[in-house]
Amino acid sequence: MRATFMYGAGDVRVEQAPDPVLERPTDAVVRVVRACVCGSDLHPYHTMPASDEGTPMGHEFLGVVEELGSEVAGLKRGDLVVAPFAYADNTCAFCREGLHTSCPNGGFFASGVGGGQAEAVRVPQAQGTLVRLPVGEDSELLPSLLTLSDVYGTGHHAAKQARVGPGSTVTVIGDGAVGLLAVLSARRLGAERIILMGRHEVRTELGREFGATDVVPERGEEGVERVRELTGGDGTHAVLECVGYMSAYEMAVGTVRPGGVISRVGVPQYEEAPVGFSSLFGPNVTLTGGPAPVRAYIEELLPGVLDGTVEPGRVFDRTVGLDEVPEGYRAMDRREALKVLVRP
Amino acid sequence: MRATFMYGAGDVRVEQAPDPVLERPTDAVVRVVRACVCGSDLHPYHTMPASDEGTPMGHEFLGVVEELGSEVAGLKRGDLVVAPFAYADNTCAFCREGLHTSCPNGGFFASGVGGGQAEAVRVPQAQGTLVRLPVGEDSELLPSLLTLSDVYGTGHHAAKQARVGPGSTVTVIGDGAVGLLAVLSARRLGAERIILMGRHEVRTELGREFGATDVVPERGEEGVERVRELTGGDGTHAVLECVGYMSAYEMAVGTVRPGGVISRVGVPQYEEAPVGFSSLFGPNVTLTGGPAPVRAYIEELLPGVLDGTVEPGRVFDRTVGLDEVPEGYRAMDRREALKVLVRP
């Protein structure tokens, strides 16, 4: 089969690779019908050291079950399924608490197992991981359903961890796909006011359609001032940080209301950050978030996608074939594309 | 009157000072019946630069109302009252959300207003701040009632912010008065297992009586290993950090369960700390806490003190008169006393 590998910063190649096969009785093999490129794929695209050995890429996909291990129940060949970016057994104590990303039998796609930017993938813990989709391979809903594998669930995680609910005021930092779906999620959970911090007009316009009540294009101290002006000086109950850079963390500290929550889902590109009396402690600000256990959210989010209440798939603004995946990375890196859909 | 002032590290003096008077119609003047020395008073006791001007000390007291401003309702001269360490109007948006420490009309005793280690104190925002106690000046409950001004409410805040409830597993870092009352609070909220990290045996023994199921005297990496052994390798749902040093923060990161909460009430003696993928983000750990809005908790905690269900006043193991307050600081600094009660 063909699959995508990264050999270093800026070096993405689509190559022949061995067809995935069942390795354990809990595995499945899935033929990929739709995959995509993630904003977090751009971090190694900027920083990965050059190597002779390629790293498989892609952790978001939906597809058709082709083979099933002997211990996988509840699925059959031919089922159209979506995979969360972290596979998990869905039965352990952590999964029962909704924290599938910490499952001791779990892991991440494209990390010790193949990636989704490929013709097929081996899925460990298939019974706990894959969720059957009640539509056909030709459904127009596929882009929105694909967002259940990561970006929609991640935006929802940001809002949920920040305890967004009816009446909440929310700042969303970042106008990438996750930021826009954090807006959609905050609206879905009943937020009263949603301030989107972003400067890419096509994106912030989509953010308004998803539910943003205000857009703040300014960054840094100037952006913080604008949000404070909009909120009577206090900031917002929740700040959903969907970027991952220290500058975004600093904006989050500046825009959160005393007693509020900063919820991070952008993968932090730093280890140390201010958390002392003058940043988090004095105003009793809570810092939360992490890799989203999206498997925990699929049952809750799926109905709204199927009935068209929400259209998270609108974040895809370009579609490529598998051979064009390297061009998809370039387009996202140049911010010419918001999020690139892959049809292998 | 006589009052306590600090003139620099290790330099505490009891001196004559002007009697407090009403300055605003929302003030009261309270004659202090009981006060105490706080673990947080030891931070300036270690680090305050020498000065010719003394800083008033003490933020925990109960006493008798002597004078009332014209706008104070609900209190009368002669009432025995307890004051939370932060005064507040108890009517603004922040107070209504239970965050009295962020009240725009509020502040802290011994900071711009007199301290409680004195014969009398002016209390701003008296109506919102003071809570009447239905006992006499000679009640044996006074030490326990005094803990409502800070340490009991602070221990409760740690547990509450960490979402401690029935079935929770909890690690408490620190065997000072706040740590011990965090143990008591976690037990009161239904925690199933409470591991107290502390090495001062008299204190950890009191911790066991307050509800600790395990005591870990080891510190650092060794202490983390012990807690992990006790919890099947996973750590505890909640970690209540009642110290404030970076070493305690690091132990908190080491002992918290994935998906769990680190709740800090020890005033951080650092500004930057690890919060990235390998510390908080990867395992979806939440960091919360801050100065406790103890005013918000007095109504909830008072009945159990009055009926003897809990005896938080057992943290006091030495009593001094006002003139002996400097010796009280010395005793707490040398860890000869756990917490010093002051009878002016």
Side-chain angles (χ1 to χ4, degrees):
Chain A
M1 69 159 183
R2 288 170 303 145
T4 304
F5 297 89
M6 191 180 288
Y7 282 82
D11 186 0
V12 175
R13 309 178 199 171
V14 177
E15 300 178 326
Q16 283 296 321
D19 286 341
V21 294
L22 299 177
E23 296 181 11
R24 296 190 180 189
T26 46
D27 286 351
V29 171
V30 170
R31 171 173 56 82
V32 175
V33 173
R34 293 289 186 282
C36 53
V37 183
C38 185
S40 69
D41 292 334
L42 296 182
H43 292 314
Y45 192 74
H46 293 147
T47 61
M48 184 187 280
S51 166
D52 291 339
E53 198 175 346
T55 298
M57 297 301 297
H59 50 260
E60 301 156 285
F61 62 95
L62 56 75
V64 172
V65 175
E66 299 234 305
E67 293 180 65
L68 281 170
S70 59
E71 292 179 13
V72 183
L75 292 169
K76 60 181 194 305
R77 288 189 190 188
D79 280 348
L80 187 72
V81 291
V82 64
F85 69 86
Y87 58 87
D89 62 25
N90 204 25
T91 57
C92 73
F94 287 107
C95 286
R96 287 197 310 271
E97 291 178 15
L99 195 65
H100 296 70
T101 44
S102 291
C103 174
N105 295 312
F108 298 91
F109 287 104
S111 175
V113 61
Q117 293 161 9
E119 288 185 287
V121 186
R122 177 175 74 88
V123 177
Q125 299 294 339
Q127 183 175 327
T129 302
L130 298 172
V131 178
R132 209 174 67 79
L133 299 172
V135 299
E137 269 190 67
D138 56 351
S139 167
E140 290 184 355
L141 293 175
L142 293 196
S144 283
L145 292 166
L146 177 59
T147 65
L148 295 170
S149 70
D150 184 347
V151 280
Y152 183 18
T154 294
H156 175 73
H157 185 58
K160 185 171 169 288
Q161 290 296 100
R163 303 191 293 258
V164 171
S168 294
T169 57
V170 181
T171 300
V172 175
I173 300 178
D175 59 10
V178 170
L180 297 179
L181 292 175
V183 169
L184 182 149
S185 299
R187 170 59 73 199
R188 181 180 164 277
L189 291 168
E192 180 180 291
R193 186 166 198 182
I194 303 170
I195 302 169
L196 173 58
M197 299 189 79
R199 54 170 54 199
H200 191 299
E201 276 188 31
V202 175
R203 300 178 182 190
T204 56
E205 200 44 51
L206 182 55
R208 285 190 193 273
E209 293 177 34
F210 280 165
T213 53
D214 304 85
V215 170
V216 170
E218 293 88 351
R219 299 183 189 182
E221 204 40 60
E222 205 183 348
V224 168
E225 283 308 310
R226 283 287 296 133
V227 172
R228 294 203 158 265
E229 278 167 32
L230 288 168
T231 54
D234 290 332
T236 56
H237 297 104
V239 179
L240 314 185
E241 198 284 80
C242 305
V243 177
Y245 291 118
M246 178 50 71
S247 54
Y249 181 90
E250 287 166 348
M251 283 194 283
V253 170
T255 55
V256 70
R257 193 173 192 274
V261 183
I262 297 171
S263 184
R264 296 180 298 169
V265 291
V267 180
Q269 303 301 300
Y270 51 84
E271 185 58 36
E272 302 247 331
V275 300
F277 203 96
S278 64
S279 48
L280 304 188
F281 188 88
N284 268 283
V285 166
T286 295
L287 178 67
T288 190
V294 294
R295 177 64 189 84
Y297 303 135
I298 293 178
E299 282 85 352
E300 178 181 349
L301 302 181
L302 181 57
V305 174
L306 290 173
D307 70 17
T309 308
V310 291
E311 297 179 282
R314 293 179 68 195
V315 295
F316 294 108
D317 58 353
R318 185 170 302 191
T319 301
V320 299
L322 191 53
D323 291 334
E324 302 158 299
V325 165
E327 176 50 30
Y329 276 77
R330 272 192 292 275
M332 278 180 63
D333 184 42
R334 291 184 198 130
R335 292 176 72 87
E336 293 164 12
L338 169 54
K339 192 167 176 72
V340 171
L341 189 71
V342 180
R343 298 177 65 146
Chain B
M1 69 159 183
R2 289 168 303 144
T4 305
F5 297 89
M6 191 180 288
Y7 283 82
D11 186 0
V12 175
R13 309 179 199 169
V14 177
E15 300 178 326
Q16 284 296 322
D19 286 341
V21 294
L22 298 177
E23 296 180 10
R24 296 190 180 190
T26 46
D27 286 351
V29 171
V30 171
R31 170 173 58 82
V32 176
V33 174
R34 294 289 185 282
C36 52
V37 183
C38 186
S40 68
D41 292 334
L42 296 182
H43 291 314
Y45 192 73
H46 293 148
T47 61
M48 184 187 279
S51 166
D52 291 337
E53 199 174 348
T55 299
M57 296 301 297
H59 50 262
E60 300 156 285
F61 63 95
L62 55 75
V64 172
V65 175
E66 299 233 306
E67 294 180 65
L68 282 169
S70 60
E71 292 179 14
V72 183
L75 291 169
K76 61 180 193 306
R77 287 190 191 188
D79 279 348
L80 187 71
V81 291
V82 64
F85 69 85
Y87 58 87
D89 63 24
N90 204 24
T91 58
C92 72
F94 287 106
C95 287
R96 288 198 309 273
E97 291 178 14
L99 195 65
H100 297 70
T101 45
S102 291
C103 174
N105 295 314
F108 298 91
F109 287 104
S111 176
V113 62
Q117 293 159 9
E119 288 184 287
V121 186
R122 178 176 73 89
V123 177
Q125 300 295 336
Q127 184 175 329
T129 302
L130 298 172
V131 178
R132 209 175 68 78
L133 298 172
V135 299
E137 268 190 67
D138 56 351
S139 168
E140 290 184 358
L141 293 175
L142 294 196
S144 284
L145 292 166
L146 178 59
T147 65
L148 295 170
S149 70
D150 184 348
V151 280
Y152 183 18
T154 294
H156 176 74
H157 185 58
K160 184 169 169 291
Q161 290 297 99
R163 302 192 294 261
V164 171
S168 294
T169 57
V170 181
T171 300
V172 175
I173 298 177
D175 57 11
V178 171
L180 297 179
L181 292 175
V183 168
L184 182 149
S185 298
R187 170 60 72 199
R188 181 179 163 277
L189 292 168
E192 179 181 293
R193 186 166 198 182
I194 302 170
I195 302 169
L196 173 59
M197 299 188 79
R199 54 168 55 199
H200 192 298
E201 275 188 31
V202 175
R203 300 177 184 191
T204 56
E205 199 46 51
L206 182 55
R208 284 190 194 273
E209 293 176 34
F210 279 164
T213 53
D214 304 84
V215 170
V216 170
E218 292 88 350
R219 298 182 189 183
E221 204 39 61
E222 205 184 346
V224 168
E225 284 307 309
R226 283 288 296 133
V227 173
R228 295 202 158 265
E229 278 168 33
L230 289 169
T231 54
D234 290 332
T236 56
H237 297 103
V239 179
L240 314 185
E241 200 284 80
C242 304
V243 178
Y245 291 117
M246 178 50 70
S247 54
Y249 182 90
E250 288 167 347
M251 283 195 282
V253 170
T255 54
V256 69
R257 192 172 192 275
V261 183
I262 296 171
S263 183
R264 296 180 298 168
V265 290
V267 180
Q269 302 301 301
Y270 52 84
E271 186 58 36
E272 302 247 332
V275 300
F277 203 96
S278 64
S279 48
L280 304 188
F281 189 87
N284 269 281
V285 166
T286 295
L287 178 67
T288 190
V294 295
R295 177 64 189 83
Y297 303 135
I298 292 179
E299 283 84 353
E300 178 182 348
L301 301 181
L302 181 57
V305 174
L306 290 174
D307 70 17
T309 309
V310 292
E311 295 179 283
R314 293 179 67 195
V315 296
F316 294 109
D317 57 353
R318 185 170 302 191
T319 301
V320 300
L322 191 53
D323 290 333
E324 301 158 301
V325 164
E327 177 50 31
Y329 275 77
R330 272 191 292 275
M332 279 181 63
D333 185 41
R334 292 183 198 132
R335 291 174 72 87
E336 292 165 11
L338 168 53
K339 192 164 176 74
V340 171
L341 189 72
V342 180
R343 297 177 67 147

